[in-house]
Amino acid sequence: MVTAIVHINAEVDRIPEIAQTIAEIDGVSEVYSITGEYDLMAMIRVSAYEEIAELVPGRINKVAGVLHTETHIAFRAYSRHDLDAAFSIGLGESD
């Protein structure tokens, strides 16, 4: 799994609409409105790096109202959520 974090500047009066449109794109797992320099943050989770190259310039940047994006690719996941999910694979109760 490849994870990327995309910071997005958007037209301020359209943030909810833009966020919803981005959230509906395949490969985008979550979209957050955030404080600071950027208006939105999208989490992308895909199976190959090449998919990020298609998603960001090909889909996210083309959403009406998106003004600018900055993409960060994650090397490793350290969140408790991801670690718990990894260790729970195959450890369910058997019949």
Side-chain angles (χ1 to χ4, degrees):
M1 177 71 56
V2 179
T3 301
I5 300 98
V6 182
H7 291 107
I8 303 163
N9 284 121
E11 293 178 8
V12 176
D13 59 336
R14 299 183 59 211
I15 288 174
E17 172 190 339
I18 294 164
Q20 186 60 46
T21 300
I22 293 170
E24 293 172 0
I25 296 172
D26 286 338
V28 176
S29 62
E30 302 118 80
V31 178
Y32 300 95
S33 61
I34 58 174
T35 62
E37 183 178 343
Y38 297 96
D39 303 304
L40 299 168
M41 181 183 72
M43 298 296 294
I44 295 175
R45 292 188 171 90
V46 292
S47 57
Y49 288 102
E50 293 80 15
E51 293 177 69
I52 294 170
E54 294 171 17
L55 271 176
V56 178
R59 302 282 311 274
I60 293 174
N61 282 347
K62 291 182 179 178
V63 170
V66 169
L67 304 174
H68 173 77
T69 61
E70 182 175 296
T71 304
H72 303 267
I73 297 175
F75 294 124
R76 289 195 175 109
Y78 294 97
S79 78
R80 182 166 189 83
H81 176 270
D82 291 335
L83 293 173
D84 287 346
F87 285 110
S88 69
I89 295 173
L91 298 178
E93 292 182 30
S94 59
D95 294 359

